[in-house]
Amino acid sequence: MVKTYIEILKLALPAVGEMILYMMIWVFDTVMVGRHSGQLGVSAVGLSSEIIYTFFNIFVSMGISISVTSIVSRSLGAKNEKKADEVSNIAVKLGIFLGILLTLIFSIFSEEILHIAGAKNDVALLGKTYMRICSIGLTFNMLINIFNGIYRGCKNTKTPLYGAAIMNIVNVSLDYILIFGKFGAPELGVKGAAIATVGGILCAFIFSLTQLKKLPFKIHLKRKIIKEEVKELVTLAIPSACQEGAFSINRLINVSIIMGLGSLAFAANQITITIESISFMPGWGFAVALTTLAGHSIGEKNYEKTKKYVYYTITLSVVTMGVTALIFFFFPKELISLFIKESEKEVIELGAMCLVLAAIEQIPMAIAMALEGAMKGMGDTKTPFKVVIFTNWIIRLPLVYYFLYLKKYPVTAFWTITAIQWTIEAIIIFIVYERKWKKDYRN
């Protein structure tokens, strides 16, 4: 038992650390912009970031990246290095194409996109500047994520961690210098935050590129594309991307609805989301580790080992996110106060109430994320997609629309609804996983 926990932690902890470091970029951007520009800056950066990373995650982070991890891990588990090589090369080419496409969209249509999302006046103006600058780094960020997916499939979660550390150090340093105008630099505010983000991405990309030589195969852009491998990658990527799309686009619609409640509600909600996003990271890290470990053990046809990985990983995830829930519940005001000027007392009070409600969903979220990661490692990306579609679009969105958009309930109602949604999602995915296991993998 101890050996299995150690094996999981060796993969999960670097992945958790990586995700926390990536999230800290968003956190520090929000903290520093909030200290510099108050509600206006938080709203502009928050909305622009939501839009950019919604589509980024759909196409790459939860689409191609997760799929390439699943295929590479199962291929290496089955000693099929050639297939892992071919799929990785295809994933890189797809990432370059999608990165260039999204860069053009966000740089040319930034103002129109923000208006559609509900931004007005100064929020739209600042958000447009932030979005256009950040779009410069999108292609490089996509390739980083695809490289990281390949590394994870090879049971290497340390290289993505080091890349995230580099990105974080560069971003935070430039944030301080450019947002506030330190060391002789101009005081750029929101614009400085965007430049800092791009600078961090470029440095992390250079590092990730230098580490490709450590792979058990080589990335060659001139390599011939094999139709069968493209089909398998896309077949896995589409449901995974649609799952992320179902979650993220739903969240983006929710953000637009909350924007209609006013800048106070939006700022409080955005800060709460930023804080809670940190708690996603352990759950996500354990899910990534489980995708890799389940993929390798399924490739080896060692199903008993797979089952151990699943339940041990759920235990670790629940304990970790349970601690986070306690911190949210007992110290909400202290956490919210880190992200906004002390004079913004109404934002602090409202954000604290939201964060207490966010504590309720931590353990169900831990269970759901781990099991969805396990199923992806087993090569099933369709089932998690169907579950997320149901909980987000049949349960969450109608409730948010009714209570917040039509009835104008306070933003705390949104967090009550998300707690209900995550609880239902955890129950459903557990039942579905158990049925699938009994049907396909019971010896």
Side-chain angles (χ1 to χ4, degrees):
M1 185 172 74
V2 174
K3 184 180 178 181
T4 304
Y5 277 125
I6 291 172
E7 187 177 4
I8 293 167
L9 289 171
K10 278 183 178 179
L11 274 181
L13 289 180
V16 171
E18 175 201 350
M19 289 302 103
I20 289 174
L21 286 171
Y22 277 129
M23 186 49 57
M24 291 309 292
I25 294 171
W26 188 18
V27 169
F28 281 119
D29 276 356
T30 305
V31 168
M32 293 191 195
V33 168
R35 293 284 181 178
H36 181 272
S37 306
Q39 289 184 35
L40 176 62
V42 169
S43 297
V45 171
L47 183 60
S48 300
S49 297
E50 283 281 356
I51 294 168
I52 290 172
Y53 288 104
T54 290
F55 291 96
F56 177 83
N57 287 337
I58 289 170
F59 287 114
V60 178
S61 290
M62 299 301 169
I64 299 173
S65 183
I66 289 291
S67 301
V68 79
T69 298
S70 177
I71 295 172
V72 168
S73 64
R74 281 183 286 121
S75 299
L76 294 180
K79 311 298 181 185
N80 190 348
E81 192 175 294
K82 182 182 178 183
K83 182 175 180 179
D85 182 353
E86 291 167 349
V87 170
S88 297
N89 279 277
I90 292 165
V92 171
K93 290 172 185 175
L94 284 174
I96 293 171
F97 170 75
L98 291 171
I100 293 171
L101 178 63
L102 287 184
T103 296
L104 291 173
I105 290 171
F106 286 123
S107 59
I108 296 170
F109 301 107
S110 54
E111 189 170 358
E112 291 82 356
I113 291 168
L114 285 162
H115 283 306
I116 291 170
K120 297 176 182 178
N121 304 325
D122 290 342
V123 172
L125 187 64
L126 272 178
K128 178 178 72 172
T129 301
Y130 184 87
M131 187 178 285
R132 283 181 174 172
I133 294 172
C134 284
S135 68
I136 296 168
L138 270 177
T139 302
F140 301 103
N141 207 4
M142 284 196 165
L143 288 173
I144 291 169
N145 273 268
I146 290 170
F147 292 157
N148 288 348
I150 297 168
Y151 291 135
R152 293 182 196 113
C154 298
K155 289 191 174 182
N156 175 4
T157 53
K158 289 184 179 179
T159 296
L161 171 65
Y162 299 149
I166 291 168
M167 188 185 294
N168 218 285
I169 292 167
V170 174
N171 184 83
V172 172
S173 301
L174 291 178
D175 263 345
Y176 180 72
I177 294 168
L178 297 177
I179 291 174
F180 299 102
K182 301 295 182 179
F183 306 111
E187 185 178 337
L188 298 177
V190 169
K191 186 177 180 180
I195 294 170
T197 298
V198 175
I201 288 169
L202 290 175
C203 291
F205 171 73
I206 292 168
F207 167 77
S208 189
L209 201 61
T210 64
Q211 301 304 299
L212 292 176
K213 60 188 177 184
K214 295 181 180 180
L215 292 172
F217 45 81
K218 293 184 179 180
I219 302 294
H220 293 294
L221 293 181
K222 293 181 180 180
R223 189 185 296 275
K224 183 181 177 181
I225 293 177
I226 298 172
K227 184 178 178 181
E228 290 75 17
E229 307 299 356
V230 173
K231 184 178 179 181
E232 183 176 1
L233 180 64
V234 172
T235 300
L236 272 182
I238 288 176
S240 187
C242 288
Q243 177 191 343
E244 178 61 24
F247 177 76
S248 295
I249 293 174
N250 182 287
R251 188 173 68 177
L252 197 56
I253 294 170
N254 294 333
V255 166
S256 299
I257 291 172
I258 292 167
M259 177 75 79
L261 298 177
S263 61
L264 169 61
F266 185 79
N269 182 71
Q270 202 59 39
I271 292 170
T272 307
I273 286 175
T274 302
I275 294 171
E276 197 205 28
S277 294
I278 300 171
S279 74
F280 279 23
M281 298 307 103
W284 195 91
F286 283 118
V288 165
L290 192 49
T291 298
T292 301
L293 291 169
H296 272 268
S297 56
I298 291 291
E300 295 168 352
K301 299 190 183 301
N302 189 339
Y303 303 140
E304 189 60 36
K305 185 190 284 188
T306 306
K307 198 168 184 68
K308 283 184 180 179
Y309 284 143
V310 171
Y311 286 108
Y312 287 6
T313 303
I314 288 174
T315 301
L316 289 168
S317 188
V318 165
V319 169
T320 305
M321 294 183 72
V323 171
T324 303
L326 292 174
I327 294 170
F328 286 178
F329 189 82
F330 288 108
F331 305 103
K333 287 186 179 179
E334 290 81 356
L335 291 170
I336 297 291
S337 298
L338 296 172
F339 291 77
I340 197 75
K341 296 175 182 178
E342 291 181 7
S343 58
E344 305 262 16
K345 295 189 182 299
E346 288 181 315
V347 176
I348 294 170
E349 290 289 336
L350 186 56
M353 288 189 282
C354 293
L355 198 57
V356 168
L357 291 168
I360 300 169
E361 63 195 44
Q362 296 303 302
I363 290 177
M365 189 188 301
I367 295 168
M369 292 176 80
L371 286 172
E372 286 164 9
M375 296 189 81
K376 289 171 184 175
M378 293 153 64
D380 180 3
T381 55
K382 290 181 181 179
T383 301
F385 163 57
K386 291 175 183 177
V387 173
V388 169
I389 278 284
F390 176 75
T391 59
N392 279 268
W393 290 82
I394 306 301
I395 296 175
R396 181 176 176 175
L397 185 58
L399 290 175
V400 170
Y401 179 79
Y402 179 78
F403 286 106
L404 275 76
Y405 184 76
L406 295 179
K407 295 297 184 180
K408 301 297 180 185
Y409 272 48
V411 71
T412 48
F414 169 75
W415 290 93
T416 303
I417 292 167
T418 59
I420 294 169
Q421 174 244 315
W422 274 112
T423 302
I424 293 171
E425 186 167 328
I427 293 169
I428 293 173
I429 198 71
F430 179 79
I431 292 170
V432 171
Y433 165 79
E434 284 291 323
R435 286 179 179 173
K436 180 178 178 62
W437 183 265
K438 290 175 182 177
K439 179 184 176 183
D440 296 340
Y441 298 105
R442 175 173 280 181
N443 291 327

